Amino acid sequence: KGAEKLSDAGDALSNCLSLVNELLYLESLENGETKPNFVNCDLREIMSSVLKLEHFSKANILNSAEGLVSADREQIILVIQRLISDALSRTSADGKLEVTCGRHDNHLRLSVRDYGRPLTAEEANDLFDKTFQASNADNEGENPLGLSVAFAIMSLHDGLIGHQSVEDGNLLYLELPLLSGSLSTGDF
């Protein structure tokens, strides 16, 4: 029994450390201490590399457009991981996700569609709020600030991040401006 309590205390400490680290990272993004390292990136290639990770194997790529964006590759990887993790949190064990990447006006839009529990209007309004995310974090302590970090990153990229209610689920998306002269096919 003592070993179990010690293990629980270790888990709680780990969760607290994850939350503190997330808060520090979010603060560094918001106050400009952490600046993106912008390079020309192929969003399709970034999306494919994220989806190769074993814990994202439920995600199916439906459409993938070409086009270059100016972005910090590592930060965009983090945003895509957060979108997929959030969608997975509402998806049943045997459920699937659909990921698309296509042109939307002068932007590339990456969308993650789940077939899980639709968000209520209140949940959708709070989805990118750090206090909401922290209070609803999972017990594993991974990504305790969830999409609030993704929101801060997208703000630094002059991009968009959002949620749309869809039939039988949710659609989370990010949009980044296309580089001038960038080839892109696959309009939404």
Side-chain angles (χ1 to χ4, degrees), residues 14-151:
S14 179
N15 289 347
C16 286
L17 184 58
S18 291
L19 180 58
V20 167
N21 285 335
E22 287 266 307
L23 285 168
L24 290 171
Y25 183 60
L26 183 58
E27 181 67 24
S28 74
L29 289 169
E30 291 176 342
N31 69 22
E33 290 175 14
T34 298
K35 296 187 185 322
N37 179 24
F38 289 104
V39 295
N40 293 349
C41 300
D42 179 350
L43 190 57
R44 178 178 59 175
E45 181 275 322
I46 295 172
M47 173 186 69
S48 295
S49 69
V50 169
L51 294 178
K52 287 179 184 172
L53 300 173
E54 184 178 326
H55 56 284
F56 293 142
S57 61
K58 285 183 164 192
N60 296 321
I61 299 174
L62 295 184
N63 181 29
S64 186
E66 294 179 22
L68 293 177
V69 296
S70 179
D72 182 310
R73 189 178 195 288
E74 297 305 313
Q75 288 183 348
I76 296 304
I77 286 172
L78 180 64
V79 172
I80 295 170
Q81 289 173 333
R82 298 291 172 106
L83 289 175
I84 294 171
S85 292
D86 189 80
L88 283 172
S89 72
R90 286 183 300 280
T91 302
S92 66
D94 59 344
K96 292 282 185 191
L97 302 178
E98 295 172 353
V99 180
T100 58
C101 183
R103 185 172 179 189
H104 187 257
D105 297 324
N106 292 327
H107 292 77
L108 273 184
R109 176 184 273 200
L110 183 138
S111 300
V112 179
R113 196 235 199 267
D114 68 58
Y115 290 88
R117 180 186 63 79
L119 294 176
T120 66
E122 183 178 341
E123 288 171 325
N125 286 336
D126 292 338
L127 194 58
F128 303 102
D129 179 79
K130 64 184 167 190
T131 55
F132 172 78
Q133 289 291 324
S135 67
N136 290 291
D138 60 29
N139 292 330
E140 296 173 21
E142 185 179 334
N143 306 326
L145 295 180
L147 293 174
S148 60
V149 170
F151 182 85

